[in-house]
Amino acid sequence: EVQLVETGGGLVQPGRSLKLSCVASGFTFSSYWMYWIRQAPGKGLEWVSSINTDGGSTYYPDSVKGRFTISRDNAENTVYLQMNSLRSEDTATYYCAKDPIPTGIPLYVMDAWGQGASVTVSS
Amino acid sequence: DIQMTQSPSSLSVSLGDNVTFTCEASENIYGFLAWYQQKLGKAPKLLIYGATNLEDGVPTRFSGSGSWTNYSLTISSLEPEDIATYYCQNNHVYPLTFGSGTKLEIK
């Protein structure tokens, strides 16, 4: 059974940093692209970042580019999201998710999701 | 960026109804359209990808259609467990973008 478990959320002051982790199990982690998606309270979904299978290619929307960094450790079956210079508008539940396609060209959709990690940015 | 516009934002329905909601992309996304279901307090669940392909395990009462910029999701004979918010997603180009969602409510 595919499982994704996010940790590292919490309350952080504006301008500070936080690092989320997502441990994967139940599939060959190193073969899949991984994603972070967030959802502000009462709002819709926003894609935050993507990473390819070996970690050599990463992608971000303008809203987090230069502040957030996605990375992965295939030996530890873990994907990370380093969030720096946090703003109040980064307050959200952060989900990690996987692509359905092993190796090759990803589909850029998310077929399995974690339960989410809550991040609150407030003084 | 490709904008995804979903309508309506909410829909009041009765169990057993056939329900259709729409998603319009601001430019052609060539069928690279996914639908997700999100129940209250839960993570989203992939229902459909490639505009029409049903994800494994998703009931066949769900179906997707559309092309170019206009897409729709239909639920035939609504069941109680279908009450949720539904999101579409552009998976054609970065940035990956989601619609704002359609929330189903029981009449």
Side-chain angles (χ1 to χ4, degrees):
Chain A
E1 178 195 4
V2 171
Q3 277 203 311
L4 299 166
V5 179
E6 302 98 335
T7 57
L11 173 64
V12 61
Q13 292 179 327
R16 303 299 290 264
S17 298
L18 201 63
K19 186 172 185 177
L20 303 181
S21 301
C22 171
V23 177
S25 60
F27 64 102
T28 305
F29 178 76
S30 59
S31 296
Y32 292 83
W33 282 58
M34 296 295 294
Y35 306 96
W36 287 96
I37 300 96
R38 69 184 179 184
Q39 187 169 37
K43 302 297 185 182
L45 303 168
E46 180 185 16
W47 164 73
V48 171
S49 60
S50 306
I51 188 166
N52 74 337
T53 54
D54 66 8
S57 296
T58 58
Y59 303 85
Y60 309 90
D62 288 345
S63 58
V64 307
K65 195 176 295 182
R67 300 188 300 122
F68 289 13
T69 303
I70 189 173
S71 61
R72 66 191 296 160
D73 183 340
N74 286 341
E76 296 292 329
N77 289 351
T78 303
V79 61
Y80 303 97
L81 185 68
Q82 176 68 47
M83 303 183 291
N84 298 332
S85 303
L86 282 161
R87 307 166 180 168
S88 58
E89 55 263 37
D90 296 319
T91 294
T93 296
Y94 285 74
Y95 296 100
C96 76
K98 64 174 280 293
D99 195 276
I101 307 296
T103 63
I105 299 172
L107 202 52
Y108 303 112
V109 300
M110 300 88 193
D111 73 334
W113 299 61
Q115 85 287 351
S118 179
V119 173
T120 301
V121 183
S122 174
S123 54
Chain B
D1 298 0
I2 296 178
Q3 309 301 318
M4 307 298 290
T5 302
Q6 286 188 247
S7 59
S9 57
S10 64
L11 198 51
S12 187
V13 297
S14 298
L15 299 180
D17 282 354
N18 296 332
V19 180
T20 296
F21 25 84
T22 64
C23 177
E24 182 175 0
S26 58
E27 57 189 83
N28 188 358
I29 56 172
Y30 300 93
F32 289 96
L33 188 284
W35 290 97
Y36 298 85
Q37 175 193 66
Q38 187 178 32
K39 296 182 180 179
L40 195 63
K42 301 293 187 182
K45 173 187 173 183
L46 178 64
L47 297 176
I48 286 171
Y49 60 94
T52 62
N53 300 294
L54 206 62
E55 174 71 350
D56 288 347
V58 174
T60 56
R61 62 180 180 274
F62 289 90
S63 61
S65 64
S67 61
W68 289 81
T69 60
N70 292 293
Y71 300 86
S72 61
L73 174 68
T74 296
I75 309 174
S76 300
S77 190
L78 193 77
E79 300 276 345
E81 60 265 32
D82 301 334
I83 297 304
T85 299
Y86 293 83
Y87 294 95
C88 61
Q89 180 218 335
N90 142 53
N91 63 305
H92 172 51
V93 291
Y94 281 119
L96 307 177
T97 46
F98 292 86
S100 56
T102 294
K103 183 177 182 180
L104 290 187
E105 298 169 328
I106 294 290
K107 270 184 193 171

